[in-house]
Amino acid sequence: MLLYLFDGFADWVPAYLCAGLARAGWKILSISWDGRPVRSMGGLLIQPDCALSAIPRAFDLLVLPGGAAWLDGGNDAALPLVRHAAKSRVPIGAICNAAAFLAMHGFLNEIRHTGNTLAFLQACAPRYTGGALFEERQAVCDGGIVTANGYAALAFTREVMRLVGCVPEEGSPENWYAMHRSGFYPD
């Protein structure tokens, strides 16, 4: 899995997904534009594994966490990577403003999807034409892309796990979601 990191990324979003996938045996490779340390929205200083220019050409999942840089052009360097993933049919997970970034660049025009709100996507992405396919849900998976609103880290993780066939320690993505959402172990 490639996890794209940048200054101001929403650190709690990939935390759930990375822990679930890593515990199920997935290799997580964190990347940033230049490979230099980034500071998360929560103030954590993170040293990515490598720069965008050094990533492997073949990977099995691309995850784009939320953050303001998707809207202000700060993450435009990631667009070729996203295009490569989409063209190669590599699953993509995008939450919060990363979903808006996908809308800005036409990735959501022909698939069911969600985001922070339909009005938000339309305001952020003037060339976005997928409004009829927008679903007011926490997370949506279609066409190999998982999108989620910024408050749906658990539903996002569940949908990505389903998409890639991850069987977490809890037995299924549904069990994982139920346990994390309720905060209780099953009987």
Side-chain angles (χ1 to χ4, degrees):
M1 174 188 118
L2 294 183
L3 172 64
Y4 191 81
L5 301 179
F6 53 93
D7 283 324
F9 79 94
D11 45 17
W12 62 94
V13 171
Y16 288 110
L17 182 59
C18 288
L21 291 177
R23 290 171 61 195
W26 282 65
K27 180 175 176 12
I28 312 298
L29 186 68
S30 61
I31 61 172
S32 69
W33 176 77
D34 58 4
R36 293 186 180 151
V38 298
R39 189 163 301 275
S40 73
M41 195 180 291
L44 299 174
L45 186 64
I46 308 291
Q47 174 62 60
D49 294 309
C50 68
L52 185 57
S53 62
I55 64 167
R57 284 302 280 171
F59 51 93
D60 46 18
L61 173 62
L62 175 62
V63 175
L64 310 172
W70 296 112
L71 303 180
D72 65 16
N75 282 343
D76 286 354
L79 185 56
L81 173 63
V82 175
R83 284 189 176 132
H84 170 72
K87 183 178 177 184
S88 302
R89 298 186 180 265
V90 171
I92 299 171
I95 186 169
C96 192
N97 291 342
F101 180 82
L102 295 185
M104 286 182 219
H105 296 284
F107 295 100
L108 304 183
N109 288 338
E110 298 178 8
I111 63 168
R112 293 178 307 104
H113 60 277
T114 194
N116 290 341
T117 66
L118 177 57
F120 182 77
L121 289 184
Q122 291 169 328
C124 293
R127 294 178 294 203
Y128 165 67
T129 60
L133 296 168
F134 181 89
E135 296 182 10
E136 191 67 47
R137 294 179 36 211
Q138 289 186 330
V140 173
C141 180
D142 192 28
I145 297 176
V146 173
T147 52
N149 75 55
Y151 290 106
L154 295 176
F156 175 73
T157 297
R158 178 191 61 206
E159 293 304 314
V160 172
M161 285 180 173
R162 284 178 179 166
L163 176 62
V164 300
C166 174
V167 179
E169 289 182 344
E170 293 80 3
S172 72
E174 291 72 23
N175 289 348
W176 179 95
Y177 178 76
M179 289 175 66
H180 283 84
R181 183 163 176 170
S182 72
F184 293 102
Y185 286 92
D187 293 334

